[in-house]
């Protein structure tokens, strides 16, 4: 999906002459379905087998990307791109929640950190290859062919997922009239667990401020510095490379330092390098965003895997869909909010100014994590959160 996620803003910039505000809105449309649909999707995922949900959702994204390829060849406006982004994001909600809920059923509890790290490393590799490959393909073949390649990749992913033999244990069927009660039960599990509450607040703060700068990084490189799409892709690929490194080392870091220090250290490493990105400039100053994105992504890889593993350890299997959805709604809500705020703020202080605000907020959030109750909890010792929901 990173190939498509990189191509859509470029398509809007080059083919539809989108403004910075419109780029922010396009990014918001990709993430808004998490907030709008996440809670009921979590309850549905707890009712259904996870594997077919992943397959159908991935195929849906493939069809949408193929239709966008046709639109790129024939001409497409920003409004149509935003509608397509909403549809792609909707498929992504089903895929992501089902994926997060399936893993603990396939991997022993004591291997979750390592397994999550390796799986997230594959995703991070797409962050590395997606922008670089996308920039080269857009420049050499055009956005339409690039989107068609992304659709093909999604189809292959669906085929691979369909070959998995195991699935989550089936839960007792619930009548559709119980949907609201099931959603509220998932939310209560999160709010009743002190650890889940604290980690969620830390992730929300970091997610908002890091997300504030994400759309403006591309705008700064394309509009302010005038870089070609291939160079932009290579710069942004540093984030994917760092993510792979963070994902692969998180298991050994947690074994040596414990889960608590891994979470706190990952948060700090995620936030502080953000101050390097707005230093981007011509010549040697182009190394600043590369280093900032690289180091920040290492921290992101460590932090995300650590908090995901904590969540999976604390949540009963039959509640994973709803708990994952409740947390995804909050964290996903940060992304459209920060993307919209990013576009609006850019009209006042410019893309570089937004990146400075993003860095300052992320660093302040990381300092809060270091001083917060999160750093004083032993995250290796907690047992699964209590729930009154029957499987």
């Amino acid at each position: 999906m990173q190939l498509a996620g990189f191509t859509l803003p470029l398509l809007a910039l080059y083919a539809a002459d989108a403004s910075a505000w419109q780029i922010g809105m396009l990014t918001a449309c990709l993430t808004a379905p998490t907030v709008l649909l996440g809670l009921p999707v979590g309850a549905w995922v707890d009712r259904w087998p996870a594997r077919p949900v992943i397959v159908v959702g991935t195929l849906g994204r493939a069809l949408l990307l193929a239709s966008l390829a046709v639109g790129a060849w024939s001409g497409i406006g920003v409004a149509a791109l935003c509608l397509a982004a909403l549809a792609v994001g909707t498929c992504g909600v089903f895929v992501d929640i089902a994926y997060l809920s399936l893993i603990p059923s396939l991997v022993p509890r004591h291997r979750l950190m390592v397994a999550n790290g390796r799986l997230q490393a594959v995703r991070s590799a797409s962050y590395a290859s997606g922008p670089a490959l996308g920039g080269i393909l857009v420049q050499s073949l055009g956005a339409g062919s690039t989107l068609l390649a992304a659709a093909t990749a999604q189809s292959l992913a669906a085929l691979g997922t369909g070959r998995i033999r195991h699935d989550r244990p089936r839960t007792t069927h619930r009548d559709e009239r119980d949907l609201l009660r099931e959603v509220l039960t998932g939310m209560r599990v999160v709010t009743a667990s002190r650890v889940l509450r604290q980690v969620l607040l830390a992730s929300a703060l970091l997610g908002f401020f890091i997300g504030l700068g994400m759309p403006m990084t591309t705008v700064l490189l394309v509009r302010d510095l005038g870089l070609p799409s291939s160079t932009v892709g290579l710069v942004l690929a540093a984030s994917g490379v760092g993510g792979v490194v963070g994902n692969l080392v998180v298991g050994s870091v947690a074994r040596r330092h414990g889960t608590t220090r891994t979470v706190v250290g990952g948060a700090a490493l995620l936030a502080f390098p953000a101050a390097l990105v707005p230093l981007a400039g011509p010549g040697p100053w182009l190394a600043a965003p590369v280093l900032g994105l690289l180091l920040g992504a290492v921290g992101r890889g460590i932090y995300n895997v650590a908090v995901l593993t904590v969540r999976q350890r604390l949540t009963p299997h039959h509640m994973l869909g709803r708990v994952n959805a409740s947390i995804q709604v909050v964290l996903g809500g940060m992304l459209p909010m920060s993307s919209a705020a990013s576009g609006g703020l850019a009209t006042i202080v410019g893309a570089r100014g937004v990146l400075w605000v993003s860095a300052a907020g992320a660093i302040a959030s990381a300092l809060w994590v270091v001083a917060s109750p999160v750093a004083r909890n032993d995250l290796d010792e907690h047992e699964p959160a209590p729930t009154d929901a029957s499987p």
Side-chain angles (χ1 to χ4, degrees):
M1 268 304 294
Q2 295 312 312
L3 183 60
F6 174 76
T7 304
L8 287 180
L10 281 182
L11 179 61
L13 283 168
Y14 292 127
D17 194 27
S19 66
W21 181 84
Q22 289 173 321
I23 293 297
M25 290 300 101
L26 178 61
T27 306
C29 286
L30 280 168
T31 54
T34 299
V35 179
L36 299 175
L37 299 173
L39 292 175
V41 168
W44 288 325
V45 166
D46 276 342
R47 294 176 177 180
W48 303 334
R51 185 167 54 89
V53 173
I54 298 172
V55 171
V56 173
T58 305
L59 286 175
R61 288 196 297 203
L63 290 173
L64 287 165
L65 292 173
S67 67
L68 277 173
V70 176
W73 289 321
S74 60
I76 191 168
V78 175
L81 281 172
C82 288
L83 288 175
L86 281 171
V88 171
T90 298
C91 292
V93 175
F94 283 91
V95 172
D96 290 344
I97 293 176
Y99 160 78
L100 293 173
S101 304
L102 176 62
I103 302 305
S105 299
L106 304 178
V107 180
R109 180 184 175 89
H110 68 280
R111 296 285 297 169
L112 269 177
M113 185 79 77
V114 173
N116 281 325
R118 290 174 179 174
L119 289 169
Q120 291 299 319
V122 175
R123 285 193 163 193
S124 295
S126 72
Y127 278 91
S129 61
L133 181 59
I136 294 171
L137 289 176
V138 169
Q139 186 167 314
S140 59
L141 302 178
S145 298
T146 304
L147 288 168
L148 189 60
T152 303
Q154 288 291 295
S155 300
L156 293 174
L159 179 62
T161 304
R163 294 175 63 86
I164 297 176
R165 295 183 178 182
H166 300 286
D167 209 326
R168 295 177 63 201
R170 296 297 299 273
T171 59
T172 305
H173 173 75
R174 297 178 177 91
D175 188 84
E176 290 184 0
R177 292 172 296 179
D178 294 330
L179 181 63
L180 178 60
R181 182 179 65 82
E182 294 175 48
V183 168
L184 294 175
T185 300
M187 296 172 67
R188 282 197 298 270
V189 170
V190 176
T191 57
S193 169
R194 183 179 62 177
V195 174
L196 290 179
R197 285 200 315 270
Q198 293 168 351
V199 171
L200 176 58
L201 178 58
S203 300
L205 288 171
L206 286 166
F208 177 82
F209 285 108
I210 293 296
L212 192 68
M214 287 172 58
M216 292 307 112
T217 302
T218 302
V219 174
L220 176 67
L221 297 174
V222 173
R223 287 274 168 84
D224 294 12
L225 301 182
L227 299 177
S229 60
S230 56
T231 304
V232 174
L234 290 172
V235 171
L236 297 181
S239 179
V241 173
V244 172
V245 174
N247 295 150
L248 292 177
V249 303
V250 64
S252 58
V253 170
R255 282 194 300 270
R256 175 172 296 185
H257 301 290
T259 302
T260 300
R261 291 182 179 178
T262 301
V263 169
V264 174
L269 187 56
L270 166 63
F272 279 86
L276 293 172
V277 178
L279 296 175
W285 285 102
L286 195 58
V290 173
L291 185 60
L293 292 171
L294 178 67
L295 294 176
V298 173
R300 183 192 67 227
I302 293 173
Y303 178 83
N304 285 348
V305 170
V307 298
L308 170 60
T309 303
V310 168
R311 185 198 318 167
Q312 291 172 334
R313 287 174 177 171
L314 293 178
T315 305
H317 279 208
H318 69 278
M319 296 291 298
L320 276 167
R322 282 162 284 176
V323 169
N324 283 327
S326 298
I327 292 175
Q328 290 290 87
V329 164
V330 176
L331 300 184
M334 295 297 105
L335 290 176
M337 287 171 57
S338 62
S339 296
S342 177
L345 189 59
T347 63
I348 302 173
V349 300
R352 197 183 299 271
V354 173
L355 288 167
W356 281 119
V357 174
S358 169
I363 291 171
S365 301
L367 291 175
W368 177 85
V369 174
V370 173
S372 74
V374 174
R376 297 191 294 272
N377 270 309
D378 187 349
L379 300 180
D380 291 302
E381 297 298 326
H382 288 271
E383 294 299 321
T387 173
D388 56 3
S390 61

